[in-house]
Amino acid sequence: MGGPMTTPHELVNPPQLAAPVGFSHAVAAGPGRTVYLGGQAALHPDGTVSPGSTLVEQFDLALANMAATLEAAGAAPEHLVTVTVFATDAEQYRKDLKELGAVWRRHLGRHYPAMAFFEVKGLFDPAALVELTGVAVVP
């Protein structure tokens, strides 16, 4: 495999594939306790999504919720081995990539796990524009 280590996980990015930007093609997880994160949307503590909020604003709160959930489970951002992004507008997501990257780094640093993105017709909360799930392995 031979990729960089992000304690305790190895990022795997084969040279024959397109260079990843903001993600890794695979992560070889080190030994530890697995934490499965449920869908994290831009929910405030009262369970609501701010009407009229932008994709970037929602991604910011969803990542904050993900970081808080990781911490509550005894995990840290560097323990993430995969993240899946579900968004209702792929075109808007692509337009906002620079801002979304800055939001990611503010909450989760420069650890980029294996990632997947799916455009979906809708999410559980009709006001939600984005939802995140992930898996972390805590050493």
Side-chain angles (χ1 to χ4, degrees), residues 11 15 20 22 29 32 39 42 46 54 66 72 81 83 87 91-92 108 118 123-124 126-127 135 139:
L11 304 180
D46 66 359
T54 68
M66 177 176 269
V81 295
V83 170
E91 183 178 346
Q92 187 63 53
L108 303 179
F118 295 94
L123 295 163
F124 183 77
V135 177

Side-chain angles (χ1 to χ4, degrees), residues 6-9 29-35 74-76 78-80 136-139:
T6 57
T7 309
H9 311 304
R33 181 173 61 92
T34 305
V35 177
E78 63 269 19
H79 299 141
L80 285 167
V137 178
V138 183

Side-chain angles (χ1 to χ4, degrees), residues 9 38 48 79 107 112 126 131 134:
H9 311 304
T48 63
H79 299 141
H107 290 286
Y112 304 112
E131 189 166 326

Side-chain angles (χ1 to χ4, degrees), residues 5-92:
M5 297 296 289
T6 57
T7 309
H9 311 304
E10 179 184 7
L11 304 180
V12 181
N13 294 299
Q16 65 270 34
L17 298 182
V21 177
F23 70 96
S24 291
H25 286 289
V27 176
R33 181 173 61 92
T34 305
V35 177
Y36 299 89
L37 298 167
Q40 301 298 314
L43 293 177
H44 295 283
D46 66 359
T48 63
V49 174
S50 294
S53 54
T54 68
L55 177 64
V56 172
E57 291 167 339
Q58 288 198 19
F59 190 73
D60 190 11
L61 184 51
L63 276 178
N65 290 343
M66 177 176 269
T69 303
L70 283 168
E71 183 178 352
E78 63 269 19
H79 299 141
L80 285 167
V81 295
T82 187
V83 170
T84 303
V85 178
F86 300 92
T88 59
D89 188 342
E91 183 178 346
Q92 187 63 53

Side-chain angles (χ1 to χ4, degrees), residues 99-113:
E99 289 177 88
L100 295 170
V103 169
W104 175 280
R105 289 184 297 279
R106 188 170 65 253
H107 290 286
L108 303 179
R110 292 190 175 273
H111 172 68
Y112 304 112

